[in-house]
Amino acid sequence: MSKPSVLLMAYGSPNSLDEVGAYLKEIRGGRTATPEEVQRLKERYRQVGGRTPLLDITKLQAQRLEERLRNNAIADRVYIGMKHWYPFIKDTVEEMVRDNVASIIGIALAPHYSKMSIGGYEDAVRRALANNKSSIPFFMVKNWHQERSLIDALASRVRSGLNKMNDPQQAMVLFTAHSLPKRAVVPGDPYRAQLDETSRLVAEAAGIKSWSFAFQSAGEPRDTWLGPQIREQIVDIQRRGFKEILVCPVGFVSDHLEILYDLDIEAKQLAESVGVKLDRTQSLNADPEFIDSLLATTRSVIAGETLLTA
């Protein structure tokens, strides 16, 4: 019996400062950015070394997942595709069609569902299959925010991060995820509820009581994006008497700009300005326990236990 192949999908990130302008145009749906906007984004990438390791990390995640899947005779190959940069999802799907894969299990490297985010990945795959006139069966994982290995990996990082604090018992854990434009969130969208659920499960597993949630990386104007936002939460936490904050970005699994700049530079500077020490948990990246969560998610798709669209 032919085994399915997995398509791991991430957002995408430019590989050099020279690519930033074209990348910004791509994520804006083809609308050309002003020179000032391009320069502002370039400066952020410059401060994290000119590029992020997102593509390298995604390749390693795929490699390690493929090894585990083959060792367990669950699936054939693992491919990667990016929503907004190379290798684009459409190009990877074309490759999968040429390779005549038996079926495709799509997993976006973001555990929580929203029509704007995860729905966008799914739409990109379906368009590519249609453009290639392919009838390959495609199954898209909607969410995997409760996966036990994911919760355990995040909880372990929270405990480790708190142990490095001056006074772990008096530190606030702040869970974060990427904000979305309010206009793009459809009625009944489960994004916030799923983020709250993951945060609660991680807090319980880590044995912590002082925790909160914030959205990060909002665009402009900020009041048109989902809140509460990290800036206001940091100030509020300081006013409540906390001197240390451990950020656990539950909505992200890999190091990229939203982690390396928005948290490690921008959020940390804001916290310091109000007298608070801010640190964050280490990203999951290609950690074996995180690969376990991808393995379990793939296994549950095949067993018919995961919420998905076919």
Side-chain angles (χ1 to χ4, degrees), residues 147-159 202 281-282 284 287-291 293:
E147 172 51 50
R148 192 69 247 173
S149 298
L150 174 69
I151 301 302
D152 289 344
L154 289 169
S156 174
R157 279 159 169 72
V158 168
R159 288 191 293 267
V202 173
T281 55
Q282 293 297 304
L284 296 169
D287 181 274
E289 198 164 22
F290 175 61
I291 302 303
S293 69

Side-chain angles (χ1 to χ4, degrees), residues 41 43 55 63 66 95 104 106 108 151-152 154 207 214 286 301 305:
L41 187 56
E43 177 57 22
L55 179 59
Q63 175 190 324
E66 182 174 283
E95 178 187 359
I104 300 172
I151 301 302
D152 289 344
L154 289 169
V301 170
E305 300 168 351

